[in-house]
Short mmCIF file of all heavy atoms in Angstrom, two decimals:
data_model
loop_
_atom_site.label_atom_id
_atom_site.label_comp_id
_atom_site.label_asym_id
_atom_site.label_seq_id
_atom_site.Cartn_x
_atom_site.Cartn_y
_atom_site.Cartn_z
N GLN A 349 74.23 -96.56 59.91
CA GLN A 349 73.11 -96.93 59.04
C GLN A 349 73.31 -96.37 57.63
O GLN A 349 73.10 -97.07 56.64
CB GLN A 349 71.79 -96.39 59.60
CG GLN A 349 71.30 -97.08 60.83
CD GLN A 349 70.01 -96.42 61.30
OE1 GLN A 349 70.02 -95.30 61.81
NE2 GLN A 349 68.89 -97.10 61.08
N ALA A 350 73.70 -95.12 57.55
CA ALA A 350 73.87 -94.47 56.25
C ALA A 350 74.99 -95.13 55.45
O ALA A 350 74.84 -95.35 54.24
CB ALA A 350 74.15 -92.98 56.44
N VAL A 351 76.08 -95.45 56.11
CA VAL A 351 77.19 -96.11 55.41
C VAL A 351 76.72 -97.45 54.85
O VAL A 351 77.04 -97.80 53.70
CB VAL A 351 78.41 -96.28 56.35
CG1 VAL A 351 79.43 -97.24 55.77
CG2 VAL A 351 79.05 -94.91 56.62
N ASP A 352 75.96 -98.21 55.61
CA ASP A 352 75.44 -99.49 55.12
C ASP A 352 74.55 -99.30 53.90
O ASP A 352 74.66 -100.03 52.90
CB ASP A 352 74.65 -100.22 56.22
CG ASP A 352 75.55 -100.77 57.31
OD1 ASP A 352 76.78 -100.87 57.11
OD2 ASP A 352 75.00 -101.11 58.39
N VAL A 353 73.66 -98.30 53.95
CA VAL A 353 72.75 -98.02 52.83
C VAL A 353 73.55 -97.63 51.59
O VAL A 353 73.28 -98.12 50.48
CB VAL A 353 71.75 -96.91 53.23
CG1 VAL A 353 71.02 -96.35 52.02
CG2 VAL A 353 70.76 -97.42 54.26
N VAL A 354 74.53 -96.76 51.76
CA VAL A 354 75.31 -96.28 50.61
C VAL A 354 76.23 -97.38 50.08
O VAL A 354 76.45 -97.46 48.87
CB VAL A 354 76.06 -94.98 50.96
CG1 VAL A 354 77.01 -94.56 49.84
CG2 VAL A 354 75.06 -93.87 51.25
N GLN A 355 76.72 -98.24 50.95
CA GLN A 355 77.54 -99.37 50.47
C GLN A 355 76.72 -100.29 49.56
O GLN A 355 77.21 -100.77 48.54
CB GLN A 355 78.12 -100.16 51.65
CG GLN A 355 79.33 -99.52 52.29
CD GLN A 355 80.50 -99.40 51.34
OE1 GLN A 355 80.85 -98.32 50.91
NE2 GLN A 355 81.12 -100.49 51.01
N ASP A 356 75.46 -100.53 49.93
CA ASP A 356 74.58 -101.33 49.08
C ASP A 356 74.37 -100.64 47.73
O ASP A 356 74.38 -101.28 46.68
CB ASP A 356 73.22 -101.56 49.75
CG ASP A 356 73.30 -102.50 50.93
OD1 ASP A 356 74.32 -103.22 51.08
OD2 ASP A 356 72.34 -102.51 51.73
N LEU A 357 74.19 -99.33 47.76
CA LEU A 357 74.02 -98.55 46.54
C LEU A 357 75.29 -98.60 45.68
O LEU A 357 75.23 -98.77 44.46
CB LEU A 357 73.68 -97.11 46.92
CG LEU A 357 73.12 -96.19 45.87
CD1 LEU A 357 71.82 -96.74 45.29
CD2 LEU A 357 72.89 -94.81 46.49
N LEU A 358 76.43 -98.50 46.32
CA LEU A 358 77.71 -98.56 45.61
C LEU A 358 77.90 -99.92 44.94
O LEU A 358 78.38 -100.01 43.81
CB LEU A 358 78.86 -98.26 46.57
CG LEU A 358 80.25 -98.15 45.96
CD1 LEU A 358 80.31 -97.06 44.91
CD2 LEU A 358 81.27 -97.90 47.06
N GLN A 359 77.49 -100.97 45.63
CA GLN A 359 77.57 -102.31 45.04
C GLN A 359 76.72 -102.38 43.77
O GLN A 359 77.16 -102.94 42.76
CB GLN A 359 77.12 -103.38 46.04
CG GLN A 359 77.21 -104.80 45.54
CD GLN A 359 78.64 -105.23 45.23
OE1 GLN A 359 79.59 -104.88 45.91
NE2 GLN A 359 78.80 -106.00 44.16
N GLN A 360 75.53 -101.79 43.80
CA GLN A 360 74.67 -101.76 42.61
C GLN A 360 75.35 -101.00 41.47
O GLN A 360 75.34 -101.45 40.32
CB GLN A 360 73.33 -101.08 42.91
CG GLN A 360 72.41 -101.85 43.81
CD GLN A 360 71.18 -101.01 44.13
OE1 GLN A 360 70.60 -100.39 43.25
NE2 GLN A 360 70.79 -100.99 45.40
N LEU A 361 75.93 -99.84 41.79
CA LEU A 361 76.58 -99.03 40.77
C LEU A 361 77.75 -99.78 40.13
O LEU A 361 77.95 -99.72 38.92
CB LEU A 361 77.09 -97.71 41.38
CG LEU A 361 77.88 -96.81 40.44
CD1 LEU A 361 76.96 -96.20 39.39
CD2 LEU A 361 78.61 -95.73 41.22
N LEU A 362 78.51 -100.48 40.94
CA LEU A 362 79.73 -101.13 40.46
C LEU A 362 79.52 -102.55 39.93
O LEU A 362 80.46 -103.16 39.44
CB LEU A 362 80.79 -101.11 41.56
CG LEU A 362 81.25 -99.71 41.97
CD1 LEU A 362 82.17 -99.79 43.17
CD2 LEU A 362 81.90 -98.98 40.81
N GLU A 363 78.32 -103.04 40.02
CA GLU A 363 78.03 -104.40 39.54
C GLU A 363 78.48 -104.63 38.09
O GLU A 363 79.07 -105.67 37.79
CB GLU A 363 76.55 -104.74 39.73
CG GLU A 363 76.25 -106.21 39.65
CD GLU A 363 77.04 -107.04 40.66
OE1 GLU A 363 77.14 -106.64 41.84
OE2 GLU A 363 77.58 -108.09 40.26
N PRO A 364 78.24 -103.68 37.18
CA PRO A 364 78.70 -103.89 35.80
C PRO A 364 80.22 -104.04 35.67
O PRO A 364 80.70 -104.59 34.67
CB PRO A 364 78.21 -102.64 35.05
CG PRO A 364 77.08 -102.12 35.86
CD PRO A 364 77.42 -102.46 37.29
N LEU A 365 80.96 -103.56 36.67
CA LEU A 365 82.42 -103.71 36.65
C LEU A 365 82.87 -104.96 37.41
O LEU A 365 84.06 -105.22 37.52
CB LEU A 365 83.09 -102.48 37.27
CG LEU A 365 82.83 -101.14 36.59
CD1 LEU A 365 83.56 -100.02 37.32
CD2 LEU A 365 83.23 -101.18 35.13
N GLY A 366 81.92 -105.70 37.96
CA GLY A 366 82.24 -106.90 38.71
C GLY A 366 82.06 -106.76 40.20
O GLY A 366 82.37 -107.67 40.96
N GLY A 367 81.59 -105.60 40.66
CA GLY A 367 81.35 -105.39 42.09
C GLY A 367 82.49 -104.67 42.78
O GLY A 367 83.51 -104.33 42.17
N LEU A 368 82.31 -104.45 44.07
CA LEU A 368 83.26 -103.68 44.86
C LEU A 368 84.68 -104.24 44.87
O LEU A 368 85.64 -103.48 44.90
CB LEU A 368 82.77 -103.60 46.32
CG LEU A 368 81.74 -102.54 46.63
CD1 LEU A 368 81.13 -102.77 48.00
CD2 LEU A 368 82.33 -101.17 46.54
N ASP A 369 84.83 -105.55 44.86
CA ASP A 369 86.15 -106.15 45.00
C ASP A 369 86.78 -106.58 43.68
O ASP A 369 87.82 -107.24 43.68
CB ASP A 369 86.06 -107.36 45.95
CG ASP A 369 85.59 -106.95 47.34
OD1 ASP A 369 86.03 -105.88 47.80
OD2 ASP A 369 84.80 -107.69 47.95
N ALA A 370 86.18 -106.21 42.57
CA ALA A 370 86.66 -106.66 41.26
C ALA A 370 87.87 -105.87 40.80
O ALA A 370 88.08 -104.71 41.16
CB ALA A 370 85.54 -106.53 40.22
N ALA A 371 88.68 -106.52 39.97
CA ALA A 371 89.87 -105.87 39.40
C ALA A 371 89.50 -104.64 38.59
O ALA A 371 90.18 -103.61 38.65
CB ALA A 371 90.65 -106.87 38.54
N ARG A 372 88.41 -104.71 37.83
CA ARG A 372 87.98 -103.54 37.04
C ARG A 372 87.60 -102.37 37.94
O ARG A 372 87.88 -101.22 37.62
CB ARG A 372 86.80 -103.89 36.14
CG ARG A 372 87.19 -104.72 34.93
CD ARG A 372 86.01 -105.04 34.04
NE ARG A 372 85.50 -103.81 33.40
CZ ARG A 372 84.30 -103.73 32.83
NH1 ARG A 372 83.48 -104.78 32.84
NH2 ARG A 372 83.90 -102.62 32.27
N THR A 373 87.00 -102.65 39.08
CA THR A 373 86.64 -101.59 40.02
C THR A 373 87.90 -100.98 40.62
O THR A 373 87.99 -99.75 40.76
CB THR A 373 85.72 -102.14 41.14
OG1 THR A 373 84.52 -102.60 40.53
CG2 THR A 373 85.41 -101.08 42.17
N ARG A 374 88.89 -101.80 40.95
CA ARG A 374 90.15 -101.26 41.47
C ARG A 374 90.83 -100.37 40.43
O ARG A 374 91.33 -99.29 40.74
CB ARG A 374 91.07 -102.39 41.94
CG ARG A 374 90.63 -103.02 43.25
CD ARG A 374 91.68 -103.97 43.82
NE ARG A 374 91.94 -105.11 42.96
CZ ARG A 374 91.20 -106.22 42.91
NH1 ARG A 374 90.14 -106.33 43.68
NH2 ARG A 374 91.52 -107.21 42.10
N ALA A 375 90.83 -100.81 39.18
CA ALA A 375 91.43 -100.01 38.10
C ALA A 375 90.66 -98.71 37.91
O ALA A 375 91.26 -97.64 37.74
CB ALA A 375 91.47 -100.82 36.81
N PHE A 376 89.34 -98.79 37.95
CA PHE A 376 88.49 -97.60 37.82
C PHE A 376 88.78 -96.62 38.95
O PHE A 376 88.92 -95.41 38.73
CB PHE A 376 87.01 -98.03 37.83
CG PHE A 376 86.02 -96.91 37.75
CD1 PHE A 376 85.97 -96.07 36.66
CD2 PHE A 376 85.09 -96.73 38.76
CE1 PHE A 376 85.03 -95.04 36.58
CE2 PHE A 376 84.15 -95.71 38.69
CZ PHE A 376 84.12 -94.86 37.59
N THR A 377 88.92 -97.13 40.16
CA THR A 377 89.23 -96.30 41.33
C THR A 377 90.59 -95.62 41.16
O THR A 377 90.74 -94.43 41.48
CB THR A 377 89.19 -97.14 42.62
OG1 THR A 377 87.89 -97.72 42.73
CG2 THR A 377 89.50 -96.32 43.85
N GLU A 378 91.56 -96.34 40.65
CA GLU A 378 92.89 -95.75 40.40
C GLU A 378 92.80 -94.63 39.36
O GLU A 378 93.43 -93.58 39.51
CB GLU A 378 93.88 -96.82 39.95
CG GLU A 378 94.27 -97.77 41.05
CD GLU A 378 95.12 -98.94 40.55
OE1 GLU A 378 95.67 -98.86 39.43
OE2 GLU A 378 95.25 -99.92 41.30
N GLU A 379 92.01 -94.85 38.31
CA GLU A 379 91.84 -93.81 37.27
C GLU A 379 91.16 -92.57 37.84
O GLU A 379 91.56 -91.44 37.56
CB GLU A 379 91.04 -94.36 36.08
CG GLU A 379 91.71 -95.50 35.34
CD GLU A 379 92.96 -95.09 34.57
OE1 GLU A 379 93.22 -93.88 34.42
OE2 GLU A 379 93.68 -95.98 34.13
#
Side-chain angles (χ1 to χ4, degrees):
Q349 288 178 288
V351 166
D352 288 344
V353 166
V354 173
Q355 281 297 109
D356 290 344
L357 196 59
L358 186 59
Q359 182 63 38
Q360 290 175 45
L361 176 71
L362 296 174
E363 196 57 44
L365 300 180
L368 278 167
D369 299 321
R372 285 181 67 197
T373 298
R374 285 190 297 278
F376 178 62
T377 302
E378 289 173 16
E379 296 291 349

